[in-house]
Amino acid sequence: MLTRKQYELLVYIDNHLRDHGISPSFDEMKEALSLKSKSGIHRLITGLEERGFIRRLAHRARALEVLRLPDNNDDDAPATATTARVTPITSARKTTHRPAMVPSAFSEIQESVSLPLFGRIAAGTPIEALRDQSTHVQVPAALLGTGEHYALEVSGDSMIEAGILDGDTVLIQRCEQANDGTIVVALVDDSEATLKRFKRGLGQILLEPANARYETRSLTPDRVQIQGRLVGLLRQY
């Protein structure tokens, strides 16, 4: 599965190789994808390399080789980001030019839901719960289950070992109860919210981080209200 930006970069690199016989520079890739920094390109290339779509050639500048491409040519059954088939690149690869734009199968937005983005929630030190519903985020409906949902932007690094990074947008399903081990939004003392793993101790509620640098908080049940549980995550590169 490729993210939209990964797919855009893969198509751009392949087109550039066809047109110029050399892979594009990082500045060219950054400009083509309208990214602000080269670090975003580095992350995208690493992701494509890890998934086996491209290969970096050692000891050569600007040397990228496209190994395979998603196959989106079946008009009767258009591929999506989760179902795209992959076509290996062979020595007999076609020489026809592919447009730099993303094919329509990837451009079309899947059915989405507008969720209120309440604000930034601490994944390190708790912050006051924010309830500004003036901002919304579009979320693929397939990521959500039943019930009411909302989104929060993560601030901090205390959940990095659970794959939740600073700046991520987490998707939360409203609930008031949670099973042990569930990552929840917990409201502490009616004033501050935090994203942590929920566990029950001996007469205590444990809010456990996913970073060894942070300590688990142990609180009496009357101080903690469950505001929802984590059901999804959005990340931009």
Side-chain angles (χ1 to χ4, degrees), residues 9 15 20 29 52 60 74-75 78 87 112 117-118 125 139 147 163-164 171 189 192 210-211:
L9 182 59
N15 285 335
H20 304 286
M29 289 186 275
R60 291 174 56 188
D74 186 351
D75 295 332
T87 300
S112 61
L117 182 62
F118 281 171
T125 303
V139 177
I164 303 171
L171 310 179
D189 295 332
E192 51 185 19
N211 184 334

Side-chain angles (χ1 to χ4, degrees), residues 20 25 31 50 86 119 125 144 151 158 161 168 172-173 192 195:
H20 304 286
S25 67
E31 182 177 350
E50 290 174 348
V86 169
T125 303
L144 307 177
S158 77
E161 292 170 15
D168 285 348
I172 306 298
Q173 181 186 52
E192 51 185 19
L195 186 71

Side-chain angles (χ1 to χ4, degrees), residues 31 52 137 169-170 178:
E31 182 177 350
V137 60
T169 298
V170 289

